[in-house]
Amino acid sequence: MILVTGGAGFIGSNFVLDWFDRCDEPVLNFDKLTYAGNLDNLAALRDDSRHLFVQGDICNTEQIAALLAQHKPRAIVHFAAESHVDRSIHSPAAFIATNINGTFSLLEAARAYWGTMPDMEKSAFRFLHVSTDEVYGTLEPDDMPFTEAAPYAPNSPYSASKAASDHLVRSYHHTYGFPTLTTNCSNNYGPYHFPEKLIPLVIINALAGKSLPIYGDGLQIRDWLYVRDHCAAIRQVLQTAKPGQIYNIGGWNETTNIDVVHLLCDMLDGLAPRTSGSYRDQITYVADRPGHDRRYAIDAKKIERELGWRPAETFESGLKKTVQWYLTHEDWINNVQSGAYRKWMDKNYKQRGDGIQIIS
């Protein structure tokens, strides 16, 4: 069995579903079920005996310790995190609590459990910490992409909290010999993505006839990674990487935000056309996010060279799969749009420009 934290969130739930597509090893899924944790993501596993879901908080060391002692997982894959930059700007305390204190609590419980294991099981155990490229800060247009040796320079409360958690994980390996692995990924997209992030927000707002809010000039550059490609990379790292290693996971898809939106609009024009005009007509520019990083770019050559992983999807093929998924999962979209979510969207976008329509 493996333990997955945050396995009801966007990347975590995709990882669990992808895991069972490829093997029968059971998963103990531990998730707090905050606003972005959604058991509907895992509906296909409701009657699957391989999947054991437990609701809980990674800050609760005692609960985690009890689960480890009871179920004896051979590995932990740690997705659980607050992850939205805008939310970290408005409410940073939750990011400190979950991303830093929660990771510390999880490390403490896992290290104590690891210390009780028989030598053979102890040598095979892994703690895989899933992080972000945002810990490296921002790049200028002509800068080389981030490698695993890039200095940390986080620019938001979110990225600072993830940087702190990365440092904690690293320290547990170097101080205690605890068998950690860390992955730093670029922007993920795909099914089950909570609609506060750019790609699902644009798809859902476009179909609803609402404005498509673009921060600033829309020329911020991100590297985009299809979520199932990310899942494949994590499986490969978990299976073959040596303890203490760090791997950047990227999609080799540097694209400006406005080009992403244009591509989405063009795909929707073909797959679900409006009665007149293009979805591009709904684009609206709003005030930029404070401290908005201009460019992220991942150099993912190390994981390809050492572990043989490279993304299977192009940006266009992955984006088309994503758009088609949202077009055929209206019930899921309706279920995630709770009253709390509407209040958040109103708070975040209405203060950035008058006339911006919010998902309702």
Side-chain angles (χ1 to χ4, degrees):
M1 173 178 281
I2 65 168
L3 167 62
V4 174
T5 71
F10 164 47
I11 303 177
S13 62
N14 273 283
F15 177 81
V16 172
L17 293 168
D18 193 63
W19 182 266
F20 289 134
D21 283 345
R22 286 159 174 77
C23 73
D24 290 325
E25 184 177 11
V27 170
L28 173 61
N29 188 343
F30 188 75
D31 196 294
K32 191 177 180 180
L33 294 182
T34 57
Y35 75 96
N38 186 353
L39 286 178
D40 282 351
N41 297 0
L42 301 162
L45 303 176
R46 281 177 183 153
D47 298 319
D48 195 323
S49 61
R50 301 171 300 172
H51 180 242
L52 175 62
F53 179 81
V54 176
Q55 184 174 0
D57 189 341
I58 58 171
C59 292
N60 188 335
T61 306
E62 292 76 15
Q63 185 183 17
I64 296 167
L67 288 172
L68 292 173
Q70 178 182 357
H71 296 284
K72 298 181 171 24
R74 67 171 181 89
I76 296 173
V77 183
H78 177 36
F79 293 100
E82 294 283 347
S83 66
H84 192 215
V85 173
D86 286 327
R87 287 182 183 268
S88 81
I89 293 169
H90 292 295
S91 304
F95 291 73
I96 305 305
T98 298
N99 299 354
I100 301 177
N101 296 336
T103 298
F104 167 71
S105 295
L106 184 63
L107 282 165
E108 281 289 274
R111 181 170 68 92
Y113 163 69
W114 173 72
T116 67
M117 299 174 78
D119 288 346
M120 186 173 295
E121 294 177 14
K122 189 175 183 180
S123 65
F125 183 81
R126 297 290 184 271
F127 181 103
L128 197 161
H129 172 62
V130 180
S131 190
T132 172
D133 59 357
E134 296 190 41
V135 298
Y136 300 126
T138 189
L139 291 169
E140 295 298 324
D142 296 328
D143 288 345
M144 297 298 292
F146 296 124
T147 69
E148 290 81 358
Y152 276 33
N155 290 320
S156 71
Y158 161 61
S159 57
S161 68
K162 289 298 289 184
S165 68
D166 289 8
H167 291 320
L168 278 171
V169 171
R170 173 186 165 86
S171 75
Y172 270 60
H173 175 70
H174 287 277
T175 300
Y176 305 112
F178 187 56
T180 65
L181 297 160
T182 297
T183 58
N184 296 88
C185 69
S186 56
N187 280 32
N188 279 220
Y189 67 98
Y192 303 110
H193 205 175
F194 192 79
E196 65 187 357
K197 304 293 180 74
L198 177 66
I199 287 175
L201 174 64
V202 167
I203 295 170
I204 293 170
N205 267 18
L207 295 172
K210 298 183 182 298
S211 296
L212 310 181
I214 307 299
Y215 282 146
D217 59 10
L219 298 180
Q220 304 87 357
I221 296 172
R222 299 294 182 262
D223 173 43
W224 293 94
L225 174 66
Y226 187 61
V227 66
R228 289 297 180 101
D229 279 336
H230 186 194
C231 295
I234 292 171
R235 286 198 319 274
Q236 190 65 24
V237 172
L238 185 64
Q239 179 179 341
T240 60
K242 296 178 181 179
Q245 288 297 305
I246 298 168
Y247 290 97
N248 284 348
I249 304 174
W252 301 105
N253 292 308
E254 284 191 66
T255 310
T256 65
N257 285 349
I258 189 62
D259 283 344
V260 172
V261 175
H262 285 160
L263 184 55
L264 283 168
C265 289
D266 295 346
M267 285 186 175
L268 287 167
D269 284 341
L271 295 170
R274 301 191 335 167
T275 54
S276 63
S278 168
Y279 287 104
R280 290 192 184 206
D281 299 337
Q282 297 168 221
I283 293 172
T284 305
Y285 290 86
V286 301
D288 206 353
R289 167 196 292 161
H292 202 172
D293 289 335
R294 196 65 175 172
R295 174 179 171 238
Y296 304 140
I298 279 285
D299 182 333
K301 289 195 289 289
K302 178 184 175 182
I303 191 172
E304 181 177 5
R305 181 178 67 251
E306 295 186 4
L307 306 184
W309 175 87
R310 188 174 175 87
E313 300 291 344
T314 66
F315 188 44
E316 290 75 12
S317 68
L319 202 61
K320 186 173 182 179
K321 288 182 178 181
T322 302
V323 171
Q324 290 172 329
W325 187 89
Y326 278 92
L327 289 173
T328 56
H329 287 79
E330 185 177 355
D331 288 346
W332 183 90
I333 293 170
N334 293 335
N335 287 341
V336 300
Q337 291 176 336
S338 66
Y341 174 62
R342 288 194 299 272
K343 290 177 183 177
W344 159 251
M345 296 301 295
D346 182 76
K347 177 181 180 181
N348 189 56
Y349 283 106
K350 277 194 173 177
Q351 63 183 265
R352 298 189 188 279
D354 293 335
I356 299 304
Q357 293 178 287
I358 307 304
I359 297 172
S360 60

